[in-house]
């Protein structure tokens, strides 16, 4: 395995921005795994399917096409909600697993952000981050992001969405959102995004030095 960086955390924790900055810094390809679940949810909804029907959701995930990831419709609030509903079905998670694992197997490595990257997709990743922030701070960041893109949404509605998504992504024993035991926790509640990115970079530098040393034996 190359230098794989797993960046997990709850919705709107800043993990996407951090993952992109790390990818740029280390010259690695970057995958936002949430987009896969968003694509499955949006495709199923467009086809008039039922997001809560496990068989329909699994069929949509089996038909997943990476070419669909460039769609702006995947970045809306509704797409996030649809993603979180299809992501609870184990068949959907299984169907999307191979694509993510193959992405992680590229040389010289990859950065992947999501919920279960450090635990399920790349448990052997040499660098793992678990990024968190309070629900209120995450709601404020998401509100800023969505309003900048022209999507009207109230802060209170977004906070309610975030609490619901946290419960759906981490409420059960088999829920995807979990920090790997060897992940470094980064709480960005009191940080600006550039402070969070700097802190992430320092953590990953330490992991990289350890990884390089292990390669030399
Ligand atoms: O990170 P995001 O907001 O784009 O994720 C949307 C939803 O997709 C999230 O609520 C849960 C699901 N998801 C997941 O279950 N596993 C991942 N690795 C990434 C996202």
């Amino acid at each position: 395995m190359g230098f794989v960086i797993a960046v997990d955390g709850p919705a709107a924790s800043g993990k996407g921005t951090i993952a992109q900055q790390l990818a740029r810094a280390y010259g690695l390809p970057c995958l936002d795994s949430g987009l896969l679940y968003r694509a499955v949810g949006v495709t199923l909804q467009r086809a008039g399917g039922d997001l809560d029907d496990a068989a329909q959701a699994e069929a949509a995930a089996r038909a997943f096409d990476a070419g669909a990831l460039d769609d702006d419709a995947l970045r809306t609030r509704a797409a996030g909600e649809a993603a979180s509903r299809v992501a609870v079905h184990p068949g959907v998670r299984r169907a999307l697993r191979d694509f993510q694992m193959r992405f992680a197997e590229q040389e010289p490595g990859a950065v992947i952000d999501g919920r279960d990257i450090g635990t399920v997709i790349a448990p052997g990743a040499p660098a793992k981050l678990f990024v968190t922030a309070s629900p209120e701070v995450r709601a404020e960041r998401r509100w800023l992001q969505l309003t900048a893109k022209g999507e009207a949404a109230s802060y209170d509605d977004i906070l309610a969405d975030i609490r619901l998504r946290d419960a759906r992504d981490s409420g059960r024993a088999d829920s995807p959102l979990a920090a790997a035991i060897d992940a470094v926790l980064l709480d960005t509640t009191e940080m600006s995004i550039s402070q969070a990115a700097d802190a992430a970079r320092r953590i990953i530098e330490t992991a990289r030095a350890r990884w390089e040393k292990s390669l030399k034996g």
Side-chain angles (χ1 to χ4, degrees):
M1 178 183 267
F3 189 59
V4 173
I5 307 177
V7 185
D8 289 304
S13 55
K15 63 186 188 307
T17 310
I18 287 174
Q20 280 169 17
Q21 297 202 4
L22 289 170
R24 231 176 327 207
Y26 291 102
L28 295 171
C30 190
L31 175 68
D32 170 358
S33 65
L35 281 181
L36 274 56
Y37 293 90
R38 286 170 180 256
V40 172
V42 167
T43 305
L44 184 56
Q45 244 172 354
R46 280 181 183 154
D50 178 359
L51 299 172
D52 302 319
D53 182 300
Q56 286 184 30
E58 180 173 345
R62 297 223 166 269
F64 163 75
D65 167 15
L69 296 181
D70 248 352
D71 188 344
D72 276 349
L74 302 187
R75 305 197 179 268
T76 62
R77 205 176 133 208
E81 166 67 17
S84 139
R85 280 168 64 188
V86 293
V88 301
H89 305 301
V92 169
R93 308 199 70 79
R94 267 195 308 275
L96 297 178
R97 200 170 290 165
D98 279 357
F99 178 86
Q100 297 172 80
M101 286 178 158
R102 277 198 306 274
F103 196 91
E105 281 161 9
Q106 295 178 81
E107 278 303 326
V111 183
I112 311 183
D113 79 83
R115 303 288 187 289
D116 59 349
I117 308 306
T119 50
V120 175
I121 302 299
K128 297 182 186 177
L129 265 180
F130 193 84
V131 185
T132 61
S134 72
E136 291 77 11
V137 164
R138 288 187 280 132
E140 193 183 329
R141 290 177 187 161
R142 188 47 59 89
W143 180 82
L144 285 169
Q145 249 173 23
L146 291 173
T147 47
K149 280 193 293 182
E151 185 174 345
S154 84
Y155 169 83
D156 286 341
D157 287 349
I158 294 175
L159 180 58
D161 271 9
I162 283 192
R163 290 195 195 283
L164 183 72
R165 283 231 257 148
D166 283 357
R168 210 183 271 139
D169 296 347
S170 60
R172 309 170 317 274
D174 61 346
S175 295
L177 181 62
I181 42 166
D182 51 350
V184 177
L185 189 78
L186 178 61
D187 186 339
T188 67
T189 303
E190 307 284 335
M191 296 178 187
S192 67
I193 192 64
S194 73
Q195 286 171 328
D198 287 349
R201 183 74 194 274
R202 284 194 294 276
I203 293 166
I204 301 303
E205 273 300 293
T206 306
R208 184 157 179 110
R210 197 176 339 117
W211 177 71
E212 282 173 346
K213 205 167 151 200
S214 78
L215 290 182
K216 285 180 197 132

